[in-house]
Every structure is written in structure tokens, then in C-alpha cells.
Amino acid sequence: MILLVLLIVLFAAALLSWVAGAKSHAACRWIALCSLLFNLGIVIRIWLGHTAISGRWWYQYKIDWVPHFGISLHLAMDGLSLLMLALTFFLGALAVLISWKELQTRVGFFHFNLLFVLCGITGVFLTMDLFLFYFFWEMMLIPMYFLIGIWGHEHREYAANKFFLFTQAGGLLMLLAILGLYFVHAANTNVYTFNYFELLNTPMEGATARWLMLGFLVAFLVKLPAVPFHTWLPDAHTEAPTAGSVVLAGLLLKTGAYGILRFVLPLFPAAAAEIAPLAMLLGVAGILYGGMLAFAQTDLKRLIAYTSVSHMGFVLLGAFAFNEIAYQGVVMQMITHGISTGALFIIAGALYERIHTRNLWQMGGLWLRMPLMGSAALIFVMASLGLPGLGNFIAEFLILLGSWPASHLFTILATIGLVIATAYSLRLMQKVFLGPCDRQYAIRDLNGRELVIIISLVIVICWLGFHPQPVLNTTQNTAYVIR
Amino acid sequence: MSFVDFLSLGPLITLCAASVIAMLLVAIWRNHRMVYSFAIIAFLMSMAAVIPAIKYIPHPVPPLLVIDEFSLFNTGLILTAGLIILLLSFNYFEEREERKEEYYMLLILATIGALVLVVSRHFMSLFLGLEILSISLYGLIAYLRARERSDEAGIKYLMLAALSSAFLLFGMALVYAFTGHMDFPGIGAALRQAGYLPVSVMAGFGMMLIGVGFKLGVVPFHMWAPDVYEGAPLPVAAFIATVSKGAMLVLLIRFYQDIQGNDYPMLWWMVAIIAVASMFAGNWLALTQQNIKRILAYSSIAHMGYILVAFLSGVQTGLEALAFYLVAYFITSIGAFGVVIVMSSSLQDAETVADYKGLFWRYPWVATVFTAMLLSLAGIPLTAGFIGKFYVVMAGVNGHQWFLLFMLAINSVIGLYYYIRLVATMFAVPVPGQQTTVVPALPMAGNITLGILTVLLIGLGVYPTAMMQLIQQMMRILS
């Protein structure tokens, strides 16, 4: 029941903030913020109150929805969902905070969309019914489309359309695969159901499993994004407003990774093992190619967007390495990437607000004007390149450690990716904050609200770097794949 | 004619009587409001007449008609659709035409034609219903005779409908020549007995398909659709998109079931090619249109393609999916046309995409309704269209029609582009100082109707179970 509350709170807050937005902007922002903090509080309480003996599934909730098809409103939470939800509400609250002053047009509708997309993401992380999963998967698209399309930068409509069509195409293939699985299951057991737990052990032929798995995998690879399907990402991230970029990079990409861990690997273990070398190849290609493209960008937000491609390559590599250490690394990477990239987008947004450009060639020497922002950026750039002591290092280290037994070659190639990461990260720092400064006027440094945002992010990333054990414990007994 | 026959045909007889009375009313005293109210009462009474008929199903009225769950369900659907279109009509015609009273008579007549199609299982009644429907539509399409495009559309429809009727008749004759039957079950039995499909019957089916395909507006018999949608008065366009197509589809299902069309691969392939061609042509041609009516016309061509995929799946789920999709499609199409009706002023229909630029910031309510309708057409969750599309895909997977499903998936993405483009236009931030050309009428009745349609749309999207159970029960009896 508590799981349903999480969804209902967000949905109600979405409607409420839309209504309130017409009267008072502040009320609308407070409603959004409070609902997200309330949910974050619930999740943290669950986490703290949890003991290791209570089994893998902490909470379950199930009622029939369309019994005619075997569809039920089935929510469940394990360690992985819990971590993802904590990340969702944390970044969601920050997204509300960063738009506090920056966003002044159509405030009510903006917060409606923001909360609605978070509601969809929450649903994706919680649902254990494949129909419902598809439902939420599609539901989060429309508000995201509006976030990019209405409040975005110059080429917003092009970016929004591209984002929408890419994900929708992937989603439709997943729908076909879901239905295929549904009927294969029914043909073998005579039970028509979309229930994840019942579908888990569907006996099927190798060829069928391969095709169905591909349907799921393509949808998740588009969302992740893996290399041949990544072209929507730089556009969408660049054109979205800051809050939109944070949600996109921090959360929406994670739904793809989550889908691979939750659905592709457990539902089709054999087929997934067959395709593992190819998937790992795509992962490595993403790491290297994404990193190289990031190095070549002149647009700050585009650069950060390409680092996402590179970092998500690690997720793909680890997910298909099939061992416990790599999985823990993947979960860790999902969280730390959400934090560090989210923070970089927040900094890019704050910079854009002050100097009205995203072009790296028009920046430089900003450290002198804004030392606080500079140091914040330095921390997250270091996190992004994998400096020990910060969360991303743990994640990437675990992934590399775990994928070594699976493939020496790919691990070595992926390690080269760390060098590239260093190159583009340092270039970012150099171009923006170091070097000569042509700007003779005073630029406002981070204000109180922005400091609160940045400091909370810094605390989390350092905590993950120095003491990752709670997170690792939470995901420990979630055996994703039987092999 | 027995008493039970009388009760079973109640909805039809009520409407027939109403059409005569409407004619007399107009002859005695011309009053728009009076005829309008009378037409509403007639539709309501006809809907009420469905209830006593339920008791006696299935009840054949040999040799022409049959009243069973399937036909009663669709009778109800068509009457409801007709009523909603009627509700949307009053203001539209009040502002436009001097002699508006005959419109209601023609609308009732056209609905009668559709109802006859729904209950018929014989070539005679098929043709009778089709012609009543078509001839009333000639008048309806050209009703705003002062407008050039309205005349053009009327004449276009007249020529092509007459031509397609000729094909249909020839086809029927060929089928009759071989089988010696004109009732559907008789034809099916005769063909099974023969054990093969001779060329003449094949040609007959092909020619009938031309007649049916024309009414459905599927490729390659779709040429009329955009022009007629554009020229016809908006409520009439909504009527053509829903009632006329729906009735023909119901008839097609009955015919196909009775002759067990799935046994003849040749027939299957003909319909399959039409389905794929309709999806592609409809969606591709809609991509660059700048006129909302034309976009809706092409989108309805594509939607007929989707419906045919369910039809071709050859499984029980397919028929259920079809019925559900039809309901969703009715609600959505009438809703979309309803928005255009409400948005139109007395001087001009709000038909270009530019008229909708920034609509959300000017008329949030209408824009929200339109967004809901467009998202339903695109098949996005929380709307009836999503469940409908899901149902169709499910039927396809169940019937292992992977090829058709891939075509459907590709087309959904293409279709999404122009729906989402329209939505984006409505949400585009308006340039200050920009004048809008159309001042919408926004009549109260129209707004309330749109509200009801939206509630239905979301209701079916969130809680489809009740409707599914109804449909499932109905289809079990059909097969």
C-alpha cells in the first residue's frame, strides 16, 4: 500500500500544482517540493528500517486491474527499486529547486509535467506487471516531450520530436515482445498473465527467446542509450531546460539500465548470455565513441550529454558480464552517474543563466569571477573522470573488476575509456574556468539556493565514494540472473 | 410480421417513423430548434427501443435481417454516435445555412441506412442499406450549397459512390451466379460444398471489395476521403468518418464470418494488401498536410488499416479487438471533429494548422480535449486509443501475424509524428501581437458534449474491463 501512496502523492501533487500555478507560483513550487521530499522521506525510512533477513522483496502490493487479460496493478520493491526511487525523488526535488527562480513562464503546467514524468518513472521502477510497465514507460514520454518542447532552447521542437519518435519506436518493439512473451507463456502453461513473477520461468525455444529478448533489449538500448541508437540524446539533453536535462540524464536513462537488469537478464537468461559479447561490444563502443565525441564538442551541454553516452557504456558492459561484482558496479554507476551528470547539468544551467551562452569558446577564466561554482564544477568533473574518493570511481572500478573474467579484451578497451574521460573532463574545466578571461564585468557567484543544491550533491557523491557499503548491501542479495 | 419481429426491429422502425414525421414537421412549420429537438427525441426513443429487443436475441427476421447481440451492440453504438453528432450540429448549422431543417431528416435517414447494414445478412438488405446511406450522404455532404468546396465534395462522392455501387452489384451477381444464394450463410454453405473457389466467385468477391472498400475509405479506394472531409459540413464529416465506416465494417465482419473467409488465403491476401497499403498511404500522406480536416481524413484511412490488422488475425481476440477499437475510434474521431466544430466561427471553419497555434494558452479547455483526442489516435496510455491499439497488437500476436504487426509498429511511429506535431503547435508559445483569424464559437452544448467524450475516452483508457466483458460476451455468441 505504501508503494501506491508514492505514486498517488506524485499524481495528486501534479494536478494540485497545476491548479495552484494559476493563482500563485510559489504555492505551486512548494507543493511540488514538499511532495517529493515527502516521498524521499518515506523511501529513506523504509531503507533505514530494513533488515537483511526480510528476504528480497520488501513490499508487495497487488490488485486486479483488467482481469480479462490477466493485468493487475502489481507493485513491488526490492533493493534495486529502492535505490532508484531514492535517486528519483532526490533529483526530482533538486529539479524543482533549480527551476525556482530560473523558470517564470507557465509555472503551473511546468510543475505538472515535471511531477507527472517523475510519477511515470516511479511507476517504471516499481511495477511488476509487464503491461503496467509498458503503460508507465509510455506515460513518462508525453510530459518529457512537453518539458523539452515548451521550455527548451532554440531547437526544442526538433529535439523533442526526435526524442519522442526514437523512444516510441523502441517502445513499440517492446510491446510486441511483451505480448509475444504473454502468448508463449499462455501456450505453454495455459495461464494468461502479465505477472512478472509468473513469466520469469516461461519455458520457450531458443529462437523464440532470442527474438523476444531483442524486442526488450532494443527498447532499453534506445533509452540507455547504446551507440547506434544514441543520436536522440545529445539533442534532447542540449535543448531541454536545466530541470529537464537533470531528469533526462539522471533518471530517464536509468530506466533503460533498470529494464536490462530487471527484465532482459532474468526473463531470458540463456538468450542474454548468447548475445552478451555483442552487447559488451556495444558498451565498449559507447564508452570510447561517446568519450571521443564529448572531447570534440564546443557546446557545454552537448559535451556533458556525450559523457552520458560514455558512462552508460559502462552500464551495458557490466550488465552483460554476468557476475555479482559487475552488477553492484552497474547499480552504483546508475546512481553516481545520476548525481554527477545531474550536477554538471545544473552547473551548465547556472552558467547559461549568467553568461547566456553554452559555447565553450566564449567562456574561460570564470574561476576568478565565480570561485564557488568553479570548485563545485571541479568536484563533479573529477567525479566524472573517476577520481578515487568519489562515487563514480567505486562504480567503474567494480564494473571493470567484474567484467575482467567475462572478457579481458573488452575490459582493457573500457579502461582506455577512463583515459579519454580524463581528457574531456580536463578540457571542460580548462575551457570554462581556467585561462584568460575577457569578461570585465562582475558575474554573480552561486547564491544560497544553488549552494544548498550543490552541497547536497557533493555530500552524496563523497558519501558514495568513501562509504559505499550501505548501497552495496542493499543490492547484495538481489540475484539478477541464474547462471 | 410477428410481434417479436416488431419489437426486435424497434430501433429501426422508430427511426423510420421519425424521418417521416420530421419531413411533415418541416412542411408544416419551419423551425430549426423544433426539428432539432425532435431529432434528439427520435434518437433517444430509438435507443430506448434497443432495450426490449435484448430479450428476444438472437432473433432472425428471415430472409433479410438478423438481430443478435452483435447487431444490437453496434446499433447502440451507431445511435449513440449519431446522437452525439446531432448534439454538435445545432450551433454549426444555426450560424450557417438558411434552410437547416432538412439536415436533420437526412441525418436520420443516413442513420437508418447504417442500421440496416448492421442487421443485414443478405445481399438485398446490404444493398438497400448501402443506398439509403449513400443517397442521404449525397445531400448531407453538399448541404452547405453556397460553398464551392461543399458542392465539389458532394459531386465527387456522388460519382464515386455510384461507381462503387455498380461494382458491388456486379460482384454480388457473380457470387450469386455460382452459389445460387444471396444470404450470407447460404453462400458460405454453397462454397464449402463446392470445396473450391472458382474464378468467377473470386472476381465477385474482388468487386464487392471495391464497393466495401470505397465506403471504408481504404487504399486504393480512398481518393475521395480528403476532399469530401474538407468540403463537407463538419458534423457530416464526423458522420462519414464514424457511422458510415463503422456500419460497413460491421457488415464486412458478418459476411467474412458467415462465409468463413479465413479458409480462402486469396481473400485474406487481398484484405492484407489493402490493410498495409492503407496504413502506409494514410500516414505518409498525412505527414505534410496543413489542413486539419485532411489530416483527420488521412489518419482515418490509416486507422482503417489498423482495424483490418485485427480483422485479419483470424482469432477470437481479433474480433474483440476490432469491436473495442471501433468504440475507441468512434469516441476519438467524433471528439476530434467536435473540437474543430467548436473552434469554427460562423464565417470560417478552423481548419488550418495555423488556426491552432498556441491554442493551449488561449483556450486551455479546448486544447486539452484536442490533445487527449490526438494522443488517443496516436495510442498513448490513459486513453481509449491505447487500449484499442494494445488489443489489436495482442490479437495480431495471438494470430502470429508478425509481418502485419511490424507494419503496424512502423506506421504507429510515422503516425505519431503528425499527431505530436499538432499537439506541439497547440502548445507553441504564441508570438505577442499575432492576430488569430478565427474567433471560435465555443457553444455550450458543444463544450458539454466534448466533456462527455473526454470522460469516456479516459474512462475506457483507465478502466476498460466493463467494455471488454460486454464485447467478449457479444463476440462469443457471434462465432
Side-chain angles (χ1 to χ4, degrees):
Chain A
M1 193 62 203
I2 190 86
L3 302 180
L4 196 61
V5 169
L6 293 176
L7 284 171
I8 290 173
V9 165
L10 283 185
F11 190 68
L15 292 176
L16 207 63
S17 62
W18 193 1
V19 175
K23 296 267 182 305
S24 146
H25 289 179
C28 158
R29 296 179 204 276
W30 278 110
I31 289 170
L33 186 63
C34 290
S35 64
L36 287 163
L37 289 178
F38 175 76
N39 275 356
L40 185 62
I42 292 182
V43 170
I44 288 177
R45 252 203 75 184
I46 293 175
W47 197 3
L48 293 179
H50 170 69
T51 47
I53 41 165
S54 50
R56 177 169 170 197
W57 298 98
W58 303 4
Y59 285 99
Q60 287 225 33
Y61 178 77
K62 188 179 178 194
I63 47 168
D64 277 346
W65 182 20
V66 188
H68 179 51
F69 287 155
I71 298 172
S72 54
L73 187 64
H74 188 173
L75 307 173
M77 181 193 261
D78 67 351
L80 178 62
S81 317
L82 180 118
L83 289 172
M84 289 298 116
L85 287 181
L87 182 70
T88 305
F89 300 136
F90 178 61
L91 284 182
L94 294 187
V96 173
L97 274 177
I98 44 170
S99 331
W100 206 272
K101 285 273 164 9
E102 281 78 352
L103 197 120
Q104 293 298 345
T105 49
R106 314 181 200 296
V107 176
F109 193 54
F110 175 83
H111 285 89
F112 170 77
N113 281 313
L114 187 62
L115 289 173
F116 207 76
V117 75
L118 291 173
C119 183
I121 292 170
T122 310
V124 163
F125 288 143
L126 279 179
T127 178
M128 290 299 140
D129 182 281
L130 287 182
F131 175 86
L132 205 61
F133 179 75
Y134 180 72
F135 184 91
F136 282 120
W137 184 264
E138 296 283 290
M139 202 176 92
M140 61 189 186
L141 287 188
I142 297 284
M144 197 65 228
Y145 174 81
F146 284 140
L147 282 182
I148 303 174
I150 298 180
W151 292 274
H153 299 290
E154 311 83 69
H155 303 293
R156 53 179 177 265
E157 277 184 27
Y158 169 76
N161 283 337
K162 199 168 175 184
F163 160 75
F164 199 87
L165 292 178
F166 263 76
T167 31
Q168 183 73 18
L172 279 166
L173 289 180
M174 180 168 75
L175 176 63
L176 289 184
I178 288 176
L179 285 167
L181 184 63
Y182 173 78
F183 282 109
V184 166
H185 182 78
N188 286 323
T189 60
N190 240 343
V191 180
Y192 286 92
T193 178
F194 283 99
N195 188 337
Y196 171 73
F197 298 105
E198 289 185 46
L199 291 174
L200 264 184
N201 300 311
T202 307
M204 59 187 127
E205 289 170 26
T208 320
R210 265 197 295 280
W211 281 109
L212 295 179
M213 188 226 32
L214 268 184
F216 279 93
L217 191 61
V218 167
F220 298 140
L221 288 186
V222 169
K223 200 74 153 200
L224 191 59
V227 145
F229 311 110
H230 69 285
T231 57
W232 63 269
L233 179 132
D235 288 311
H237 281 51
T238 312
E239 299 303 329
T242 308
S245 302
V246 171
V247 172
L248 261 177
L251 303 172
L252 234 62
L253 305 190
K254 306 305 174 296
T255 58
Y258 173 86
I260 290 177
L261 291 183
R262 178 73 86 210
F263 295 104
V264 173
L265 302 180
L267 285 172
F268 314 99
E274 276 177 45
I275 208 166
L278 189 64
M280 289 172 87
L281 177 69
L282 284 183
V284 170
I287 295 172
L288 299 177
Y289 184 64
M292 274 172 346
L293 283 180
F295 186 75
Q297 296 307 312
T298 56
D299 181 318
L300 178 57
K301 279 182 96 174
R302 236 181 149 76
L303 191 161
I304 304 171
Y306 275 112
T307 68
S308 288
V309 178
S310 179
H311 285 138
M312 287 295 113
F314 278 101
V315 168
L316 196 56
L317 180 72
F320 281 89
F322 292 100
N323 65 56
E324 180 90 29
I325 297 175
Y327 289 136
Q328 299 218 334
V330 167
V331 177
M332 202 64 195
Q333 175 81 340
M334 284 156 77
I335 298 168
T336 54
H337 171 260
I339 303 284
S340 67
T341 311
L344 285 176
F345 272 122
I346 290 174
I347 290 169
L351 260 179
Y352 183 78
E353 203 216 349
R354 287 167 171 79
I355 58 177
H356 299 287
T357 180
R358 301 190 307 263
N359 192 339
L360 287 178
W361 296 107
Q362 295 176 13
M363 300 180 186
L366 292 174
W367 189 296
L368 290 175
R369 309 264 171 242
M370 299 183 287
L372 280 176
M373 191 193 278
S375 5
L378 186 63
I379 294 173
F380 291 108
V381 162
M382 290 303 143
S384 172
L385 65 80
L387 191 77
L390 299 167
N392 302 46
F393 168 73
I394 310 281
E396 278 159 21
F397 178 72
L398 286 176
I399 291 176
L400 292 175
L401 199 63
S403 59
W404 177 256
S407 163
H408 297 335
L409 175 68
F410 288 144
T411 312
I412 293 169
L413 287 174
T415 316
I416 295 174
L418 287 178
V419 181
I420 301 180
T422 315
Y424 65 67
S425 301
L426 292 179
R427 175 167 173 269
L428 190 163
M429 207 55 212
Q430 216 169 21
K431 285 274 180 248
V432 179
F433 289 102
L434 307 179
C437 178
D438 331 329
R439 290 164 206 277
Q440 297 309 319
Y441 50 90
I443 307 172
R444 204 160 35 83
D445 205 345
L446 294 177
N447 61 26
R449 177 173 49 86
E450 286 162 337
L451 267 179
V452 169
I453 299 171
I454 293 292
I455 288 174
S456 60
L457 284 164
V458 170
I459 291 173
V460 173
I461 201 85
C462 290
W463 167 60
L464 289 172
F466 286 115
H467 187 54
Q469 203 53 43
V471 173
L472 299 180
N473 285 344
T474 311
T475 54
Q476 202 166 31
N477 49 9
T478 38
Y480 298 105
V481 186
I482 313 100
R483 197 189 165 192
Chain B
M1 199 173 177
S2 72
F3 182 64
V4 177
D5 288 354
F6 200 74
L7 272 188
S8 298
L9 292 175
L12 249 179
I13 294 171
T14 315
L15 269 195
C16 287
S19 70
V20 176
I21 298 174
M23 189 173 66
L24 292 175
L25 270 181
V26 176
I28 295 166
W29 185 36
R30 252 180 202 287
N31 183 314
H32 186 197
R33 197 170 289 275
M34 186 181 70
V35 179
Y36 169 70
S37 320
F38 174 75
I40 289 182
I41 293 170
F43 268 88
L44 287 175
M45 279 175 64
S46 179
M47 282 161 85
V50 171
I51 296 163
I54 292 175
K55 226 162 75 183
Y56 300 103
I57 47 174
H59 179 76
V61 185
L64 298 186
L65 308 176
V66 60
I67 316 293
D68 52 16
E69 286 218 348
F70 185 58
S71 54
L72 272 190
F73 175 84
N74 287 301
T75 303
L77 184 64
I78 284 174
L79 285 173
T80 317
L83 180 66
I84 294 174
I85 291 170
L86 196 62
L87 287 174
L88 289 167
S89 301
F90 182 77
N91 278 71
Y92 189 82
F93 283 98
E94 179 71 23
E95 291 171 344
R96 277 171 182 75
E97 177 62 36
E98 270 174 46
R99 299 184 181 277
K100 25 203 176 256
E101 290 79 9
E102 281 84 356
Y103 166 80
Y104 298 96
M105 203 186 76
L106 286 172
L107 192 75
I108 293 175
L109 273 175
T111 313
I112 292 171
L115 290 187
V116 172
L117 282 180
V118 164
V119 294
S120 72
R121 68 178 337 169
H122 193 279
F123 279 168
M124 279 300 152
S125 48
L126 188 171
F127 195 69
L128 192 70
L130 189 75
E131 286 302 299
I132 298 176
L133 179 61
S134 295
I135 291 171
S136 333
L137 279 178
Y138 303 152
L140 283 171
I141 291 171
Y143 201 79
L144 299 174
R145 61 212 138 80
R147 287 200 211 169
E148 215 170 283
R149 278 191 310 183
S150 201
D151 287 348
E152 181 199 325
I155 290 175
K156 233 173 213 169
Y157 193 78
L158 171 72
M159 305 295 268
L160 290 172
L163 188 69
S164 75
S165 289
F167 272 106
L168 184 68
L169 274 182
F170 195 6
M172 285 177 182
L174 283 176
V175 174
Y176 177 67
F178 178 77
T179 58
H181 286 276
M182 290 224 259
D183 58 319
F184 302 167
I187 295 169
L191 286 179
R192 263 194 305 287
Q193 210 170 16
Y196 73 106
L197 207 58
V199 180
S200 66
V201 176
M202 204 62 236
F205 282 155
M207 287 185 170
M208 287 177 66
L209 206 56
I210 294 177
V212 173
F214 169 80
K215 266 272 169 301
L216 289 180
V218 287
V219 176
F221 317 111
H222 66 288
M223 312 298 193
W224 58 276
D227 290 337
V228 168
Y229 278 45
E230 198 183 352
L234 281 164
V236 177
F239 189 87
I240 298 172
T242 54
V243 174
S244 158
K245 289 188 177 185
M248 205 65 221
L249 206 59
V250 168
L251 184 106
L252 184 64
I253 296 172
R254 196 184 282 285
F255 184 64
Y256 203 75
Q257 287 292 99
D258 278 345
I259 65 162
Q260 303 196 330
N262 277 328
D263 297 347
Y264 310 110
M266 186 77 176
L267 206 55
W268 189 92
W269 274 108
M270 281 202 285
V271 183
I273 291 168
I274 286 180
V276 174
S278 299
M279 289 192 275
F280 272 106
N283 281 322
W284 274 114
L285 292 174
L287 278 182
T288 55
Q289 295 297 329
Q290 290 302 325
N291 184 312
I292 302 270
K293 291 177 183 173
R294 291 184 90 87
I295 291 179
L296 288 174
Y298 285 117
S299 120
S300 85
I301 294 170
H303 278 272
M304 283 298 136
Y306 303 153
I307 287 186
L308 287 181
V309 171
F311 181 78
L312 288 167
S313 65
V315 287
Q316 183 64 21
T317 331
L319 294 179
E320 291 169 35
L322 202 156
F324 193 93
Y325 202 99
L326 208 56
V327 175
Y329 171 77
F330 267 45
I331 296 174
T332 318
S333 289
I334 298 179
F337 275 108
V339 169
V340 184
I341 292 174
V342 171
M343 282 300 296
S344 296
S345 71
S346 55
L347 300 172
Q348 193 186 0
D349 285 353
E351 56 185 358
T352 62
V353 173
D355 291 335
Y356 292 80
K357 194 160 171 47
L359 187 71
F360 185 77
W361 316 112
R362 286 181 284 139
Y363 303 101
W365 155 245
V366 184
T368 309
V369 172
F370 204 20
T371 306
M373 297 300 160
L374 289 171
L375 293 183
S376 174
L377 283 172
I380 303 292
L382 291 177
T383 62
F386 168 70
I387 307 280
K389 186 165 282 179
F390 181 79
Y391 219 149
V392 167
V393 173
M394 186 164 186
V397 174
N398 198 1
H400 300 290
Q401 307 297 348
W402 295 105
F403 169 70
L404 289 176
L405 284 176
F406 271 111
M407 295 294 119
L408 195 151
I410 294 170
N411 274 288
S412 290
V413 178
I414 303 174
L416 204 61
Y417 178 76
Y418 58 86
Y419 296 127
I420 211 72
R421 187 172 62 104
L422 267 181
V423 173
T425 312
M426 283 194 287
F427 284 85
V429 181
V431 183
Q434 199 180 33
Q435 286 295 314
T436 46
T437 45
V438 178
V439 179
L442 298 176
M444 188 54 120
N447 277 337
I448 293 172
T449 317
L450 287 184
I452 294 170
L453 286 172
T454 312
V455 169
L456 279 176
L457 187 82
I458 310 262
L460 274 185
V462 175
Y463 188 72
T465 313
M467 180 58 84
M468 279 175 183
Q469 274 165 352
L470 186 69
I471 288 173
Q472 200 185 24
Q473 197 185 1
M474 165 184 103
M475 288 299 177
R476 196 177 295 137
I477 285 164
L478 180 70
S479 58

